[in-house]
Amino acid sequence: MKDFAYHTPLSLDQALALLAEHRGTAKIAAGGTDLMLQLQDGLWAPDHVIDVRRVPELGVLAFDTAAGLTVGAATPLRRIETSAVVREQYPQLASAAGEVGSIQIRNAATLGGNIGTATPSGDTLPALVSLGATARIASARGERTVPVEAVFTGVRRTVLEPDELLVDLRIPPPPPRSSGAYIKLATRPQMDLAIVGVAATVTLNGDTIKAVSICLGAVAPTPVRAREAEAILTGHAPTEERLAQAGAAAAGAARPISDVRGSAEYRREQCDLLTRRAVRLAVERAATR
Amino acid sequence: MKTAITLTINGEPYDIIVEGRTRLLDAIREQCNLTGAKEGCSTGDCGACTVLLDGQPVASCMTFAQAAQGRHITTIEGLAQNGTLHPLQQAFMEFGGLQCGICTPGMILSAKALLDQNPRPTRHEVRFHLAGNLCRCTGYQKIVDAVVAASERR
């Protein structure tokens, strides 16, 4: 690994100034768990690494019923996983955060890193998309807000410019009778990448599904919404027959590859089954809210 | 770029010189001469390099040394007090929770973090909290036995 200068800015302005000054030759470090691997593999050879964990805006975890949830991009996943308010209000996000790596990794790893690395199988990504999360992105040139769903442009590719920093994620307050689930298929209970990951966020109206958002992970270059499955479920009671139709549609939305973790055919079949399970669990939780 | 930093390990300050790319694992082992933390995989998968940062387990092979400045680092060397073994160390010995010992420093530190937060974990909780620490020798049963036994003695 080529050596670099290690910076620890104490403010957002300082961090953005460093990114502007060293644009193109700097990488951002939050938990550093993905970055360390990328540097060891020679994917990047920066002259500067900017550790953003002391920037206050990146470490927030705040909820209120009006604004919803604000999570700083450098908040450790372990904190999100164990937060009582996230577990109650956004169980799909708490579950997803808890599925990444091991406790050791989660004590360092962050949402910002999971998004910035943008692998197809990133566990937090489908949960964030299904929740309608938006990303606040800043640079010395200004600030912009991008729906998380629009952040990913391909395998390990995002809309972030080299001088931009992901500051925080905002998730709207859950409507009444709304909740969600994230289900991950993997060989081991921890320390494994997803073979398939499905997040579902559901809002009920009586016994019918008023709104549903289903996002699939690890089955396309980026997280992908299962919009046809959503349309099948919206306005209807989640009967097993409806769920089966939605599952089949979700499988159709997947564009998986065959690799060491599973064949494309197996992944499509698991999309079907996991979509049904995720929606069932989301409905069960939503009914208690 | 060489920089002078201070790492606080087991309550003691260590003034060392590191590069930007220096990993915490290497700083601890080679500059602080605390060789309990082991390099097992270099990819954050095995847990042999586990140390506690402000009481929480992290993979020191995946942490830059400079990132650990200003935080409290605990290594296995910091567990025994005045020659008295920590209950976890004692239990691992009594219950056969180790064979070759390579995973043991990391395993015990992960277990310590668990017991400090949850003094009476179930066996399931123990396994969950040790899921980031791999052992090639014991088959884990006696490790779980040791952690549960240590929890019952506190």
Side-chain angles (χ1 to χ4, degrees):
Chain A
M1 186 191 306
K2 194 178 86 178
D3 195 19
F4 43 79
Y6 193 88
H7 306 268
T8 47
L10 300 176
S11 74
L12 185 55
D13 283 342
Q14 246 190 324
L16 298 181
L18 283 166
L19 273 170
E21 184 187 345
H22 301 297
R23 182 191 170 119
T25 64
K27 293 302 286 182
I28 296 162
T33 52
D34 276 338
L35 179 66
M36 183 68 85
L37 293 174
Q38 292 158 2
L39 295 179
Q40 278 171 184
D41 290 344
L43 194 61
W44 335 107
D47 296 316
H48 303 272
V49 167
I50 302 168
D51 179 339
V52 293
R53 282 171 313 159
R54 292 183 203 205
V55 175
E57 290 90 331
L58 269 66
V60 307
L61 182 61
F63 175 79
D64 71 66
T65 50
L69 185 71
T70 302
V71 190
T75 305
L77 294 180
R78 184 76 178 141
R79 195 169 158 217
I80 297 167
E81 171 194 1
T82 57
S83 154
V85 74
V86 178
R87 288 161 72 94
E88 184 192 326
Q89 304 288 344
Y90 308 99
Q92 62 276 64
L93 181 60
S95 297
E99 290 283 2
V100 175
S102 62
I103 286 176
Q104 287 93 322
I105 296 295
R106 298 197 292 280
N107 275 323
T110 65
L111 284 183
N114 214 206
I115 292 172
T117 297
T119 59
S121 58
D123 286 306
T124 67
L125 312 187
L128 289 167
V129 171
S130 82
L131 281 164
T134 56
R136 185 157 75 105
I137 298 170
S139 71
R141 299 173 282 113
E143 220 178 82
R144 58 189 181 125
T145 301
V146 180
V148 171
E149 190 174 348
V151 165
F152 311 103
T153 58
V155 176
R156 296 179 176 268
R157 297 164 80 86
T158 69
V159 299
L160 274 96
E161 298 285 332
D163 65 339
E164 284 185 313
L165 173 65
L166 183 54
V167 176
D168 62 41
L169 287 310
R170 307 219 168 168
I171 301 177
R177 310 265 295 159
S178 178
S179 191
Y182 174 69
I183 300 187
K184 170 181 183 173
L185 177 70
T187 318
R188 290 176 290 174
Q190 285 196 52
M191 286 310 290
D192 234 340
L193 297 184
I195 302 169
V196 174
V198 178
T201 298
V202 162
T203 303
L204 295 175
N205 179 13
D207 288 334
T208 64
I209 291 177
K210 178 175 162 187
V212 56
S213 179
I214 299 168
C215 187
L216 314 174
V219 291
T222 67
V224 62
R225 287 274 296 276
R227 291 179 189 276
E228 195 192 325
E230 294 168 4
I232 287 169
L233 291 169
T234 307
H236 296 273
T239 61
E240 283 309 306
E241 195 187 335
R242 274 277 148 186
L243 286 172
Q245 287 172 30
R255 301 187 314 274
I257 59 170
S258 294
D259 70 5
V260 65
R261 274 173 213 97
S263 68
E265 183 189 346
Y266 177 66
R267 286 175 141 128
R268 260 182 245 111
E269 170 151 353
Q270 290 300 322
C271 274
D272 179 342
L273 298 175
L274 295 192
T275 294
R276 302 189 214 186
R277 252 188 246 171
V279 172
R280 260 188 230 115
L281 184 50
V283 166
E284 220 174 271
R285 289 175 174 162
T288 67
R289 305 225 1 113
Chain B
M1 231 183 83
K2 289 190 193 274
T3 317
I5 66 168
T6 303
L7 293 182
T8 305
I9 308 177
N10 304 326
E12 297 294 322
Y14 288 79
D15 297 312
I16 59 176
I17 295 184
V18 297
E19 292 183 324
R21 63 184 162 178
T22 305
R23 301 177 307 175
L24 180 60
L25 175 66
D26 300 318
I28 289 174
R29 287 182 57 84
E30 289 163 28
Q31 300 205 46
C32 306
N33 284 314
L34 297 166
T35 55
K38 309 294 185 208
E39 176 161 30
C41 70
S42 303
T43 55
D45 289 302
C46 77
C49 69
T50 301
V51 299
L52 303 183
L53 269 189
D54 298 325
Q56 302 304 321
V58 296
S60 64
C61 76
M62 301 291 282
T63 309
F64 293 113
Q66 291 195 58
Q69 270 204 103
R71 303 181 70 179
H72 289 273
I73 303 165
T74 308
T75 68
I76 191 68
E77 290 88 351
L79 255 59
Q81 298 294 321
N82 300 318
T84 306
L85 293 180
H86 188 280
L88 278 166
Q89 291 172 305
Q90 188 66 34
F92 267 65
M93 279 197 329
E94 287 178 29
F95 286 79
L98 74 160
Q99 291 179 29
C100 82
I102 279 270
C103 78
T104 309
M107 195 69 78
I108 287 181
L109 288 170
S110 286
K112 175 181 167 17
L114 167 62
L115 295 187
D116 286 347
Q117 167 226 319
N118 178 357
R120 287 283 184 276
T122 63
R123 292 183 75 87
H124 181 80
E125 285 169 329
V126 172
R127 285 177 180 276
F128 176 82
H129 281 259
L130 298 185
N133 294 83
L134 303 182
C135 174
R136 297 292 284 128
C137 295
T138 66
Y140 301 101
Q141 281 291 90
K142 293 185 180 185
I143 290 175
V144 179
D145 292 345
V147 177
V148 171
S151 76
E152 286 164 359
R153 291 172 177 183
R154 282 153 61 95

